[in-house]
Amino acid sequence: MGDQFAIDRLERLRSSIDNIDAALVHMLAERFRCTQEVGQLKAKHEMPASDPSREARQIDRLRRLAEDAHLDPEFAEKWFNFVVAEVIQHHTQIADEHKA
């Protein structure tokens, strides 16, 4: 069954992982609350749902942050692109609702 130290350590690590997962979910929820407001502002002022130049700057920034944190920059970029695709979908939906 493994020695007790390894079992205890595994449980502590899993507990930390669970806490981190919870924090990530809450942070994503807050991020989406902010981007929903951005979507409302863009729709109200008839601005495009997507801002490719900002997205490019953010990708560069996140890749640098990932490198500094010893995280694969490719993974950070994939994560960002996934989140941004969802945000753009929300912004498009908000804009469509504003037009109706």
Side-chain angles (χ1 to χ4, degrees):
M1 180 159 150
D3 70 36
Q4 193 59 43
F5 173 80
I7 293 168
D8 291 346
R9 181 68 180 145
L10 180 62
E11 288 305 311
R12 283 193 304 276
L13 288 168
R14 286 178 174 167
S15 178
S16 290
I17 290 167
D18 291 349
N19 289 340
I20 293 165
D21 287 346
L24 287 169
V25 166
H26 288 280
M27 291 174 75
L28 280 171
E30 183 62 22
R31 188 185 195 287
F32 278 105
R33 275 191 286 279
C34 291
T35 59
Q36 286 294 101
E37 187 171 342
V38 167
Q40 293 289 341
L41 286 168
K42 285 181 172 185
K44 181 179 178 181
H45 298 282
E46 299 179 357
M47 299 166 75
S50 175
D51 184 344
S53 65
R54 169 155 168 82
E55 292 161 25
R57 289 190 311 273
Q58 284 295 91
I59 287 171
D60 288 342
R61 179 178 164 268
L62 289 174
R63 288 183 70 91
R64 286 191 308 274
L65 287 169
E67 288 173 4
D68 290 346
H70 306 288
L71 179 69
D72 180 3
E74 290 294 320
F75 173 78
E77 185 173 344
K78 286 177 191 175
W79 170 82
F80 179 75
N81 287 332
F82 177 77
V83 170
V84 167
E86 186 71 16
V87 168
I88 291 169
Q89 182 181 335
H90 292 178
H91 289 184
T92 301
Q93 182 180 356
I94 291 167
D96 290 346
E97 290 168 1
H98 245 74
K99 291 176 188 172

